[in-house]
Amino acid sequence: MIFQNFQVEVASDGVALVTWSNLGRSTNVLDETSTSELEQIVKEIIADDSVKGVVITSGKENFCAGGDLPLLESTNREYIKAMEEEGELAATQMLFNRSRRLSLAFRSIETSGKPWVAAINGTALGCGFELTLCCHYRVAADNPVTQVGFPEIKIGLLQGAGGTQRVPRIVALEDAIQILLKGQPVNLPRAKALKLIDAVVPAADLIKRAKDWIKGSGDAVSPWDKQGFRFPAGPIYSPAGKSAFRAANALYRRDTYDNYPASRAVMSCVYEGLQLPIDAALRVESRYFTSVLRSKEARAMIRSQISMRELEQGRCRPQDVPPSKVRKLAVIGAGFMGASIGYVSARAGIEVVLITRHQQSAIKAKAYAKSAFDDLIRKGRANENERDEALSRITAATDYAALPQCDLVIESVFEDRKSKADVYAKAQPLLKDGAIFASNTSSLPISSLAGTFGNQGIFVGLHFFSPAEKMRLVEVILGKNTGKLALATALDYVAQIGKTPILVKDSRGFFANRCVRRYVSEGIEMFLEGVPPAAIENCAKMAGMPIGPLSLADEVALDLRLQIMKATEADLGPNAIDPGQKKLMVELVENQGRFGRKNGRGFYDYPEKGNGKKHLWQGLANLQPRHIDSDRVDTGELSQRFLIVQSVEAARAIDECIITDPRDADVGSILGFGYPPFTGGVLSYIDLVGADRFVERCRKLEATYGDRFTPPQLLENMAKNSESFY
């Protein structure tokens, strides 16, 4: 039989070589076609007596990237439709049967009576890794970038094709739970040490070694199917098992605050499954997978992941503009952010000129790139040749002589209109035809800056997030007169450096900073209300935020926050800022000299590197006008306030057409300021709650805390008409 995504060759020695190569894709994923074909291949091999064993490998650079997210999304839509037409019981049975299909296919490989070897020629993730685990032997080609693991936990799913049952039967329970819960990939040396991979061989010997194992000692029965099988560190109820689960429960609570159904399901699958025979355990896993797939959290996380991919593939890009590539870039203002932008650009193969007023500052900016690369080398993610090649692409300068050769110029100077205008006056006359100019301002409206530039059609905003090498999001900001070429070039550049863009129309603070400032401001409001600072930080984490608002204020810098407050007040008048918050910032910055992490003193005290952890400054209580006893703090309400205030601000941005697509808002909120992924994003959270209930909650908070919780007319209409963003 001829297959679309697989090639099957049976040699004269009776060993079948199954090569997996998804048609029309750069990497293999287990989509509908691949799953159906794999099922058919297994049936044919079991029925063919001439086949003595099977080697399965990939025809792509990697083995498999996992499951097909659009397939999961369409399955969920079918479930919702079946619920409406046939009822919940029939719909859930349909979803269970779909969810169990891959698990049964893999189990049929395992019990086929013929030895299967996974010849892993590159990274194997998700259900691709689960496919290798059901094979009787796993051999990998020696490659420093090859990894195995289960990233699906990060999109709200658990392992659904045997991962929660086979990994703890191979690996000691404590390690197994880390692998399943964390979603972090495992490199080859560690995978071999854990026995997730049996052998690592030179790439040229991969298939031969796989076949040799079959022809030699190939055993077609997995260890857990043999009489007397013992778990690596003893059964679940042994002292080692009890100890591992105590630690795992603490890890689970600390990392998730019980916000993620998939993480809880993983714990349950492992605990229940390890007390059962493998077939019953796999049924337990399928039931939990079905339950999680039905959850609102999983649907939201899958949707936001698909939205990210669409944005990275150019959904916002004008299609009538030919694609471009930035070959040479100038960054004017090579402070921390400018140096960071230069580093990620050079790493992507772009020639970079870092321009500052003083040569020492320019040299320091280039040194930042070396330091960042050295950190990657220590972690095994880069080598010295890659570092040296990237550094050779970076030039430090104090003049604008290189500008005529640059395709893109990014201004990243201090948030001061006059400083920026001076840069524009010097730079614009030197730009070549077709070059684009971008500002990395974090708050000043792009249109107002472009007014002092001249040719506004080539002026665009590129708002990076700090540090640029770690943060995936870039806001591409359209000024009133930004042209299509500038937009397309900006989006092409963002894709070139491996970032995710969202398209934002011009306004003060754009989109992400508007929302994140609401988050920080809400924390400071709680501080002024008298809530203990530790309670503020902990409630934010309970809500799902990765960092507390006071800590985030320190990271961004308190002196910068005060500077932006003063600039906003100068532009829009005293009513545009909160006088209580300004008074607190003046006290912290100007009177106490506390600028945040950058000078080791902010809401927190920061010890010298290596001398302990940061801790809340003991003098904070003296700055609070009142104090609430910690026993009287309503932690649920505080957590809710953090999420709602950001979502209300995001809805205002939609209402004002600053963001025109809910998908951009949700992706921007997750990648830009860590809005809890389990919600799907700031607007998806409103859908999660329901517009009517969300507006009701807003009204209650508005009555107590003020108009920052007032829902915009858009939400009022959605609540009235039972509408949703998705």
Side-chain angles (χ1 to χ4, degrees):
M1 184 174 177
I2 297 175
F3 300 101
Q4 181 176 302
N5 292 335
F6 292 90
Q7 183 179 355
V8 182
E9 301 170 282
V10 182
S12 57
D13 57 10
V15 178
L17 177 63
V18 177
T19 304
W20 181 12
S21 185
N22 273 31
L23 187 66
R25 290 182 184 263
S26 59
T27 190
N28 293 326
V29 296
L30 270 162
D31 54 16
E32 176 66 32
T33 303
S34 293
T35 301
S36 297
E37 291 184 351
L38 185 61
E39 288 173 327
Q40 185 60 35
I41 288 167
V42 176
K43 287 178 183 176
E44 292 183 7
I45 283 172
I46 290 172
D48 189 345
D49 292 337
S50 68
V51 176
K52 308 303 179 187
V54 184
V55 174
I56 184 165
T57 192
S58 166
K60 307 284 187 182
E61 183 178 349
N62 289 312
F63 188 82
C64 176
D68 186 37
L69 286 181
L71 176 61
L72 287 172
E73 191 178 44
S74 66
T75 300
N76 255 323
R77 286 197 297 267
E78 288 178 36
Y79 164 73
I80 292 169
K81 183 180 178 183
M83 261 217 337
E84 294 170 352
E85 295 177 355
E86 303 174 46
E88 185 174 5
L89 184 61
T92 303
Q93 184 64 54
M94 179 275 293
L95 194 61
F96 175 78
N97 292 341
R98 290 282 189 92
S99 301
R100 188 145 171 73
R101 184 179 170 193
L102 204 55
S103 182
L104 290 172
F106 289 178
R107 183 61 175 155
S108 67
I109 287 174
E110 197 166 46
T111 58
S112 64
K114 299 178 181 183
W116 281 66
V117 179
I120 305 166
N121 61 307
T123 292
L125 299 175
C127 52
F129 182 36
E130 288 177 295
L131 171 57
T132 73
L133 292 173
C134 76
C135 293
H136 305 98
Y137 192 73
R138 292 168 291 283
V139 57
D142 193 4
N143 187 333
V145 300
T146 294
Q147 298 175 317
V148 297
F150 298 116
E152 52 265 74
I153 198 76
K154 295 182 178 180
I155 57 166
L157 294 174
L158 72 153
Q159 304 75 25
T164 67
Q165 301 310 312
R166 292 189 178 96
V167 170
R169 285 168 167 80
I170 298 171
V171 176
L173 187 56
E174 188 174 342
D175 291 321
I177 290 175
Q178 289 271 357
I179 291 167
L180 296 167
L181 269 187
K182 286 286 193 179
Q184 298 296 334
V186 180
N187 61 28
L188 281 186
R190 178 156 170 75
K192 186 174 184 300
L194 292 171
K195 299 184 180 178
L196 292 168
I197 288 174
D198 296 295
V200 178
V201 302
D205 298 337
L206 181 66
I207 303 303
K208 180 180 181 303
R209 288 288 294 273
K211 288 186 173 185
D212 285 348
W213 183 85
I214 291 172
K215 290 184 283 187
S217 58
D219 188 348
V221 182
S222 292
W224 39 89
D225 284 319
K226 294 178 180 178
Q227 190 73 27
F229 168 71
R230 294 179 180 275
F231 290 97
I236 199 78
Y237 46 80
S238 68
K242 292 175 183 177
S243 175
F245 253 90
R246 278 196 295 270
N249 274 315
L251 173 75
Y252 161 72
R253 293 294 304 179
R254 184 198 70 189
D255 289 351
T256 73
Y257 287 94
D258 210 20
N259 287 320
Y260 293 85
S263 296
R264 175 183 277 268
V266 166
M267 298 286 287
S268 297
C269 276
V270 173
Y271 183 76
E272 295 172 27
L274 295 196
Q275 300 179 64
L276 298 168
I278 186 70
D279 286 303
L282 291 171
R283 284 196 299 275
V284 166
E285 181 189 73
S286 294
R287 289 191 178 110
Y288 276 109
F289 185 86
T290 303
S291 176
V292 168
L293 194 57
R294 292 169 63 206
S295 70
K296 290 181 179 180
E297 291 86 352
R299 289 203 296 271
M301 291 177 77
I302 291 168
R303 183 176 60 233
S304 63
Q305 191 70 23
I306 291 171
S307 297
M308 286 179 201
R309 291 186 181 181
E310 290 171 347
L311 285 164
E312 289 163 358
Q313 292 165 2
R315 174 169 58 79
C316 298
R317 191 186 185 282
Q319 296 303 307
D320 55 348
V321 179
S324 63
K325 204 164 193 176
V326 173
R327 291 176 174 80
K328 191 165 187 175
L329 164 75
V331 181
I332 303 174
F336 176 76
M337 178 55 81
S340 193
I341 294 169
Y343 161 68
V344 297
S345 300
R347 196 176 175 204
I350 299 170
E351 277 192 70
V352 177
V353 183
L354 299 174
I355 301 172
T356 64
R357 287 183 296 178
H358 307 291
Q359 186 66 25
Q360 193 60 37
S361 298
I363 293 170
K364 185 178 178 182
K366 183 171 181 177
Y368 178 90
K370 182 179 183 303
S371 174
F373 253 111
D374 288 344
D375 188 49
L376 288 179
I377 291 170
R378 282 192 296 272
K379 295 174 180 176
R381 298 177 187 170
N383 58 49
E384 292 181 358
N385 286 338
E386 291 171 328
R387 178 196 64 194
D388 295 343
E389 285 179 16
L391 290 177
S392 72
R393 289 190 283 267
I394 301 176
T395 304
T398 58
D399 58 42
Y400 289 15
L403 259 58
Q405 291 85 48
C406 293
D407 306 301
L408 173 65
V409 178
I410 299 176
E411 166 268 305
S412 186
V413 301
F414 190 63
E415 289 289 277
D416 174 74
R417 289 183 183 279
K418 185 178 184 309
S419 299
K420 292 179 183 293
D422 289 345
V423 168
Y424 305 159
K426 293 176 186 176
Q428 187 177 356
L430 300 174
L431 299 181
K432 69 176 184 180
D433 288 343
I436 303 303
F437 195 96
S439 174
N440 180 51
T441 178
S442 61
S443 61
L444 299 173
I446 288 297
S447 299
S448 66
L449 294 177
T452 64
F453 182 77
N455 184 359
Q456 297 185 28
I458 66 168
F459 195 99
V460 67
L462 280 176
H463 178 213
F464 287 80
F465 292 77
S466 180
E469 63 268 23
K470 293 181 180 178
M471 300 295 285
R472 283 174 57 189
L473 184 71
V474 178
E475 286 183 310
V476 178
I477 301 127
L478 287 172
K480 288 180 182 177
N481 299 309
T482 300
K484 278 187 179 181
L485 177 63
L487 172 60
T489 302
L491 289 168
D492 289 344
Y493 164 69
V494 171
Q496 195 175 343
I497 61 174
K499 302 296 180 184
T500 304
I502 60 169
L503 192 58
V504 182
K505 293 188 178 177
D506 198 18
S507 73
R508 183 173 296 275
F510 316 125
F511 170 70
N513 274 357
R514 278 180 62 166
C515 296
V516 79
R517 281 178 193 153
R518 283 289 180 190
Y519 170 60
V520 173
S521 292
E522 196 61 26
I524 295 174
E525 284 292 337
M526 293 173 184
F527 179 83
L528 295 174
E529 290 165 15
V531 178
I536 296 169
E537 300 289 86
N538 288 332
C539 286
K541 292 176 183 176
M542 287 169 62
M545 297 299 293
I547 184 173
L550 306 182
S551 184
L552 182 56
D554 277 1
E555 294 289 338
V556 174
L558 302 184
D559 58 333
L560 177 60
R561 181 175 179 82
L562 178 60
Q563 198 274 332
I564 291 171
M565 277 182 156
K566 289 180 176 179
T568 303
E569 188 176 28
D571 283 356
L572 303 177
N575 292 334
I577 63 166
D578 183 288
Q581 294 210 18
K582 181 186 175 185
K583 181 181 177 182
L584 177 63
M585 288 299 109
V586 167
E587 177 62 29
L588 284 166
V589 174
E590 297 180 357
N591 298 339
Q592 301 287 342
R594 305 186 72 86
F595 302 159
R597 176 182 276 278
K598 68 182 184 181
N599 79 331
R601 291 154 47 87
F603 283 105
Y604 284 79
D605 277 327
Y606 299 84
E608 293 295 324
K609 187 173 283 189
N611 291 334
K613 296 182 178 180
K614 69 182 184 181
H615 54 84
L616 286 161
W617 177 40
Q618 292 183 351
L620 284 178
N622 298 329
L623 303 186
Q624 289 183 285
R626 61 186 69 87
H627 298 91
I628 298 174
D629 189 287
S630 58
D631 291 337
R632 292 177 51 230
V633 171
D634 185 340
T635 57
E637 183 180 88
L638 294 186
S639 297
Q640 196 175 86
R641 281 170 63 180
F642 282 125
L643 298 186
I644 289 176
V645 77
Q646 294 178 81
S647 289
V648 167
E649 191 63 27
R652 289 192 187 113
I654 287 278
D655 206 26
E656 297 164 18
C657 296
I658 303 305
I659 287 271
T660 57
D661 193 317
R663 294 172 294 180
D664 287 33
D666 282 339
V667 170
S669 68
I670 293 169
L671 296 184
F673 50 93
Y675 198 83
F678 76 87
T679 66
V682 272
L683 299 179
S684 184
Y685 175 68
I686 296 172
D687 282 3
L688 205 66
V689 174
D692 54 346
R693 290 193 299 278
F694 185 85
V695 167
E696 183 182 340
R697 292 178 187 178
C698 286
R699 290 299 185 200
K700 288 180 180 177
L701 293 172
E702 177 190 23
T704 306
Y705 301 107
D707 60 7
R708 63 185 181 276
F709 289 102
T710 304
Q713 190 60 49
L714 169 70
L715 291 185
E716 295 278 14
N717 294 342
M718 288 174 62
K720 181 180 178 181
N721 300 320
S722 300
E723 294 173 344
S724 59
F725 285 106
Y726 294 97

